[in-house]
Amino acid sequence: MQHGKYRFIAGFLALPLIIYAIFVISPFIQAFQISMTDWSGLVGTSKYVGLDNFERLWNSDDFWNALRHNIYMLAAIPVVTLAMGLFFAFMLNVGGRRRKNEVVGGVTGSKLYKLVFFFPQVISITIIAVIWFNIYNPDPQDGMLNSLLGAVGLDSLQNAWLGEKSLALICISAVMVWSNVGFFVVLFSAAMASIPREIYEASLLDGANRIHTFFRITLPLLWDTVQTGWVYMGIIALDAFALVQIMSVNMGGPDGATDVMPLRLYQTAFRDSQFGYASAMGVAMLVVTMTFAVLTMRFARRERIEF
Protein backbone atom coordinates (compact mmCIF):
# COMPACT_ATOMS: atom_id res chain seq x y z
CA MET A 1 0.00 0.00 0.00
CA GLN A 2 2.85 2.36 0.88
CA HIS A 3 4.63 1.64 -2.41
CA GLY A 4 1.43 2.44 -4.31
CA LYS A 5 1.14 5.78 -2.49
CA TYR A 6 4.73 6.72 -3.33
CA ARG A 7 4.23 5.81 -6.99
CA PHE A 8 1.09 7.95 -7.05
CA ILE A 9 2.94 10.95 -5.57
CA ALA A 10 5.93 10.43 -7.87
CA GLY A 11 3.61 10.34 -10.87
CA PHE A 12 2.24 13.78 -10.02
CA LEU A 13 5.63 15.28 -9.20
CA ALA A 14 7.59 13.87 -12.12
CA LEU A 15 6.47 16.37 -14.79
CA PRO A 16 6.78 19.53 -12.61
CA LEU A 17 10.24 18.42 -11.42
CA ILE A 18 11.38 17.79 -14.99
CA ILE A 19 10.16 21.24 -16.09
CA TYR A 20 11.84 22.84 -13.05
CA ALA A 21 15.11 21.05 -13.78
CA ILE A 22 15.07 22.16 -17.43
CA PHE A 23 14.16 25.81 -16.93
CA VAL A 24 15.67 26.54 -13.48
CA ILE A 25 18.42 24.08 -12.54
CA SER A 26 19.85 23.73 -16.05
CA PRO A 27 20.59 27.49 -16.50
CA PHE A 28 22.45 27.50 -13.18
CA ILE A 29 24.62 24.61 -14.31
CA GLN A 30 25.24 26.30 -17.66
CA ALA A 31 26.26 29.51 -15.87
CA PHE A 32 28.89 27.58 -13.93
CA GLN A 33 30.16 26.02 -17.16
CA ILE A 34 30.33 29.36 -18.98
CA SER A 35 32.15 30.98 -16.03
CA MET A 36 35.04 28.58 -16.68
CA THR A 37 35.47 29.81 -20.25
CA ASP A 38 36.61 32.87 -22.16
CA TRP A 39 33.51 33.20 -24.34
CA SER A 40 32.63 36.25 -26.42
CA GLY A 41 29.05 35.15 -27.00
CA LEU A 42 29.64 33.87 -30.54
CA VAL A 43 29.33 30.22 -31.47
CA GLY A 44 32.69 28.47 -31.59
CA THR A 45 34.60 31.14 -29.63
CA SER A 46 34.44 29.42 -26.24
CA LYS A 47 37.81 28.62 -24.67
CA TYR A 48 38.25 26.84 -21.34
CA VAL A 49 40.24 28.95 -18.86
CA GLY A 50 39.48 27.25 -15.55
CA LEU A 51 39.30 29.64 -12.58
CA ASP A 52 40.95 32.55 -14.37
CA ASN A 53 37.70 34.55 -14.47
CA PHE A 54 37.26 34.21 -10.72
CA GLU A 55 40.87 35.24 -10.12
CA ARG A 56 40.32 38.27 -12.33
CA LEU A 57 37.14 39.02 -10.42
CA TRP A 58 38.97 38.85 -7.10
CA ASN A 59 41.49 41.44 -8.31
CA SER A 60 38.93 43.75 -9.92
CA ASP A 61 38.45 47.12 -8.20
CA ASP A 62 35.27 47.73 -10.22
CA PHE A 63 33.69 44.52 -8.95
CA TRP A 64 34.55 45.26 -5.31
CA ASN A 65 33.20 48.78 -5.72
CA ALA A 66 29.91 47.40 -7.04
CA LEU A 67 29.79 44.74 -4.31
CA ARG A 68 30.38 47.39 -1.63
CA HIS A 69 27.39 49.36 -2.90
CA ASN A 70 25.22 46.24 -2.87
CA ILE A 71 26.27 45.46 0.69
CA TYR A 72 25.41 49.01 1.74
CA MET A 73 21.96 48.63 0.19
CA LEU A 74 21.61 45.17 1.73
CA ALA A 75 22.34 46.59 5.19
CA ALA A 76 20.15 49.68 4.94
CA ILE A 77 17.20 49.10 2.62
CA PRO A 78 15.60 46.01 4.27
CA VAL A 79 15.85 47.61 7.72
CA VAL A 80 14.21 50.88 6.65
CA THR A 81 11.59 49.24 4.42
CA LEU A 82 10.48 46.63 6.96
CA ALA A 83 10.50 49.12 9.85
CA MET A 84 8.28 51.51 7.91
CA GLY A 85 6.05 48.66 6.75
CA LEU A 86 5.60 47.42 10.32
CA PHE A 87 4.92 50.91 11.66
CA PHE A 88 2.33 51.81 9.03
CA ALA A 89 0.65 48.39 9.20
CA PHE A 90 0.44 48.64 12.99
CA MET A 91 -1.10 52.11 12.80
CA LEU A 92 -3.57 51.05 10.12
CA ASN A 93 -4.72 47.97 12.04
CA VAL A 94 -4.36 48.42 15.79
CA GLY A 95 -2.83 51.85 16.33
CA GLY A 96 -5.95 53.98 16.19
CA ARG A 97 -7.88 55.57 19.02
CA ARG A 98 -10.43 53.59 20.95
CA ARG A 99 -13.96 53.82 19.58
CA LYS A 100 -17.31 53.02 21.09
CA ASN A 101 -17.79 49.74 19.26
CA GLU A 102 -14.22 48.46 19.38
CA VAL A 103 -11.28 48.68 21.72
CA VAL A 104 -8.71 47.94 19.02
CA GLY A 105 -8.76 49.39 15.54
CA GLY A 106 -6.78 51.26 12.93
CA VAL A 107 -6.57 54.98 12.34
CA THR A 108 -9.44 56.73 10.57
CA GLY A 109 -9.35 56.09 6.82
CA SER A 110 -7.08 53.05 7.14
CA LYS A 111 -8.60 51.33 4.08
CA LEU A 112 -7.83 54.34 1.90
CA TYR A 113 -4.29 54.54 3.28
CA LYS A 114 -3.68 50.88 2.43
CA LEU A 115 -4.71 51.56 -1.16
CA VAL A 116 -2.42 54.59 -1.36
CA PHE A 117 0.54 52.73 0.12
CA PHE A 118 0.07 49.80 -2.26
CA PHE A 119 -0.26 51.99 -5.35
CA PRO A 120 3.48 51.90 -6.31
CA GLN A 121 3.23 48.11 -6.55
CA VAL A 122 0.93 48.33 -9.58
CA ILE A 123 3.34 50.64 -11.43
CA SER A 124 6.14 49.24 -13.56
CA ILE A 125 9.59 49.67 -12.04
CA THR A 126 10.62 51.38 -15.29
CA ILE A 127 7.91 54.01 -14.89
CA ILE A 128 8.88 54.51 -11.24
CA ALA A 129 12.50 55.06 -12.26
CA VAL A 130 11.56 57.59 -14.96
CA ILE A 131 9.24 59.48 -12.60
CA TRP A 132 11.85 59.77 -9.87
CA PHE A 133 14.58 60.60 -12.38
CA ASN A 134 12.56 63.68 -13.29
CA ILE A 135 11.80 64.46 -9.64
CA TYR A 136 15.55 64.49 -8.95
CA ASN A 137 16.23 66.65 -12.02
CA PRO A 138 18.75 69.28 -10.81
CA ASP A 139 17.11 72.06 -12.86
CA PRO A 140 15.30 74.35 -10.36
CA GLN A 141 12.52 74.83 -12.91
CA ASP A 142 12.02 71.29 -14.22
CA GLY A 143 13.09 69.22 -11.21
CA MET A 144 10.16 68.77 -8.86
CA LEU A 145 12.27 68.36 -5.71
CA ASN A 146 14.48 71.38 -6.32
CA SER A 147 11.48 73.40 -7.46
CA LEU A 148 9.62 72.51 -4.24
CA LEU A 149 12.62 73.42 -2.09
CA GLY A 150 12.88 76.75 -3.88
CA ALA A 151 9.16 77.44 -3.45
CA VAL A 152 9.36 77.07 0.35
CA GLY A 153 12.53 79.14 0.63
CA LEU A 154 15.01 76.29 1.09
CA ASP A 155 17.19 77.13 -1.89
CA SER A 156 20.29 76.21 0.11
CA LEU A 157 19.14 72.56 0.13
CA GLN A 158 18.82 72.34 -3.65
CA ASN A 159 21.28 69.84 -5.07
CA ALA A 160 22.29 67.90 -8.14
CA TRP A 161 21.01 64.75 -6.34
CA LEU A 162 21.77 61.97 -8.87
CA GLY A 163 24.77 63.95 -10.09
CA GLU A 164 26.25 64.27 -6.61
CA LYS A 165 28.63 61.43 -5.81
CA SER A 166 27.81 61.37 -2.10
CA LEU A 167 24.03 61.48 -2.62
CA ALA A 168 23.32 59.46 -5.77
CA LEU A 169 23.16 56.02 -4.16
CA ILE A 170 21.12 57.34 -1.22
CA CYS A 171 18.60 58.86 -3.64
CA ILE A 172 18.21 55.59 -5.53
CA SER A 173 17.92 53.66 -2.25
CA ALA A 174 15.14 56.02 -1.14
CA VAL A 175 13.21 55.24 -4.33
CA MET A 176 13.64 51.52 -3.68
CA VAL A 177 12.21 51.92 -0.18
CA TRP A 178 9.31 54.04 -1.46
CA SER A 179 8.41 51.53 -4.16
CA ASN A 180 8.41 48.49 -1.85
CA VAL A 181 7.13 49.67 1.52
CA GLY A 182 3.50 49.45 0.38
CA PHE A 183 3.81 45.75 -0.33
CA PHE A 184 4.96 45.10 3.22
CA VAL A 185 2.21 47.31 4.65
CA VAL A 186 -0.34 45.03 3.00
CA LEU A 187 1.60 41.87 3.90
CA PHE A 188 1.95 42.80 7.57
CA SER A 189 -1.65 44.02 7.68
CA ALA A 190 -2.84 40.61 6.51
CA ALA A 191 -0.65 38.94 9.14
CA MET A 192 -1.94 41.25 11.89
CA ALA A 193 -5.53 40.50 10.89
CA SER A 194 -4.94 36.87 11.90
CA ILE A 195 -3.96 37.85 15.46
CA PRO A 196 -6.99 37.50 17.77
CA ARG A 197 -8.26 40.91 18.89
CA GLU A 198 -8.79 39.51 22.38
CA ILE A 199 -5.01 39.50 22.90
CA TYR A 200 -4.78 43.21 22.17
CA GLU A 201 -7.85 44.01 24.23
CA ALA A 202 -6.52 42.10 27.24
CA SER A 203 -3.15 43.86 27.05
CA LEU A 204 -4.76 47.31 26.78
CA LEU A 205 -7.07 46.59 29.69
CA ASP A 206 -4.00 45.59 31.72
CA GLY A 207 -2.53 49.02 31.08
CA ALA A 208 -0.16 48.33 28.16
CA ASN A 209 0.39 51.24 25.79
CA ARG A 210 0.82 51.05 22.02
CA ILE A 211 4.61 50.71 22.22
CA HIS A 212 4.41 47.77 24.63
CA THR A 213 1.66 46.20 22.51
CA PHE A 214 3.82 46.41 19.41
CA PHE A 215 7.03 44.99 20.87
CA ARG A 216 5.46 42.41 23.20
CA ILE A 217 2.59 41.14 21.03
CA THR A 218 2.63 42.25 17.40
CA LEU A 219 6.30 41.83 16.54
CA PRO A 220 6.77 38.38 18.19
CA LEU A 221 3.63 37.02 16.54
CA LEU A 222 4.68 38.44 13.14
CA TRP A 223 8.30 37.34 13.35
CA ASP A 224 8.01 34.55 10.75
CA THR A 225 6.50 37.02 8.29
CA VAL A 226 9.21 39.59 9.07
CA GLN A 227 11.91 36.97 8.56
CA THR A 228 10.52 36.03 5.14
CA GLY A 229 10.16 39.70 4.21
CA TRP A 230 13.77 40.32 5.22
CA VAL A 231 15.03 37.68 2.79
CA TYR A 232 12.75 38.94 0.02
CA MET A 233 13.78 42.57 0.52
CA GLY A 234 17.44 41.59 0.75
CA ILE A 235 17.26 39.92 -2.65
CA ILE A 236 15.67 43.07 -4.09
CA ALA A 237 18.45 45.19 -2.56
CA LEU A 238 21.07 42.92 -4.12
CA ASP A 239 19.49 43.51 -7.52
CA ALA A 240 18.60 47.20 -8.03
CA PHE A 241 19.50 46.83 -11.73
CA ALA A 242 16.55 48.61 -13.30
CA LEU A 243 16.62 51.64 -11.01
CA VAL A 244 20.38 52.12 -11.31
CA GLN A 245 20.40 51.63 -15.08
CA ILE A 246 17.66 54.20 -15.69
CA MET A 247 18.28 56.74 -12.93
CA SER A 248 22.06 56.87 -12.56
CA VAL A 249 24.33 59.18 -14.53
CA ASN A 250 26.02 57.25 -17.37
CA MET A 251 24.83 53.90 -15.94
CA GLY A 252 26.56 53.60 -12.60
CA GLY A 253 27.87 57.14 -12.25
CA PRO A 254 28.87 59.65 -11.29
CA ASP A 255 32.34 58.12 -11.16
CA GLY A 256 31.01 54.66 -10.24
CA ALA A 257 29.11 55.97 -7.18
CA THR A 258 25.98 53.92 -7.99
CA ASP A 259 27.54 50.89 -9.67
CA VAL A 260 26.03 47.58 -8.51
CA MET A 261 26.81 43.96 -9.33
CA PRO A 262 23.88 43.30 -11.72
CA LEU A 263 24.70 46.42 -13.72
CA ARG A 264 28.39 45.48 -13.81
CA LEU A 265 27.40 42.01 -15.05
CA TYR A 266 25.13 43.46 -17.74
CA GLN A 267 27.79 45.84 -19.05
CA THR A 268 30.47 43.15 -19.03
CA ALA A 269 28.31 40.73 -21.02
CA PHE A 270 26.39 42.91 -23.48
CA ARG A 271 28.69 45.90 -23.84
CA ASP A 272 32.11 44.24 -23.59
CA SER A 273 31.05 40.79 -24.95
CA GLN A 274 32.84 38.98 -22.10
CA PHE A 275 30.20 36.40 -21.29
CA GLY A 276 32.53 34.06 -19.43
CA TYR A 277 33.67 36.82 -17.09
CA ALA A 278 30.08 38.01 -16.67
CA SER A 279 28.99 34.49 -15.76
CA ALA A 280 31.66 34.44 -13.06
CA MET A 281 30.04 37.60 -11.67
CA GLY A 282 26.69 35.84 -11.75
CA VAL A 283 28.11 32.93 -9.77
CA ALA A 284 29.56 35.40 -7.25
CA MET A 285 26.14 37.06 -6.95
CA LEU A 286 24.56 33.65 -6.34
CA VAL A 287 27.04 32.95 -3.54
CA VAL A 288 26.38 36.34 -1.91
CA THR A 289 22.60 35.94 -2.18
CA MET A 290 22.57 32.39 -0.80
CA THR A 291 24.92 33.39 2.03
CA PHE A 292 22.63 36.26 2.97
CA ALA A 293 19.51 34.06 2.87
CA VAL A 294 21.10 31.29 4.96
CA LEU A 295 22.48 33.71 7.56
CA THR A 296 19.16 35.51 7.81
CA MET A 297 17.17 32.31 8.26
CA ARG A 298 19.74 31.02 10.76
CA PHE A 299 20.29 34.01 13.03
CA ALA A 300 16.74 35.40 12.80
CA ARG A 301 15.26 32.08 13.86
CA ARG A 302 13.08 32.21 16.96
CA GLU A 303 10.88 29.78 18.77
CA ARG A 304 7.53 29.66 17.04
CA ILE A 305 4.70 31.32 18.98
CA GLU A 306 1.24 29.88 18.47
CA PHE A 307 -2.07 31.44 19.45
Side-chain angles (χ1 to χ4, degrees), residues 179-205:
S179 63
N180 286 283
V181 69
F183 170 80
F184 290 101
V185 171
V186 175
L187 177 66
F188 293 144
S189 294
M192 289 180 191
S194 66
I195 301 176
R197 284 293 186 264
E198 292 80 5
I199 299 178
Y200 287 113
E201 293 173 359
S203 65
L204 293 174
L205 292 174

Side-chain angles (χ1 to χ4, degrees), residues 66-78 169-171 173-174 237:
L67 178 60
R68 183 171 62 252
H69 294 154
N70 272 116
I71 291 176
Y72 154 75
M73 300 173 81
L74 181 61
I77 291 176
L169 191 61
I170 297 175
C171 292
S173 298

Side-chain angles (χ1 to χ4, degrees), residues 146-163:
N146 279 342
S147 177
L148 178 61
L149 291 173
V152 297
L154 297 176
D155 303 72
S156 60
L157 296 180
Q158 292 179 339
N159 214 308
W161 305 115
L162 296 174

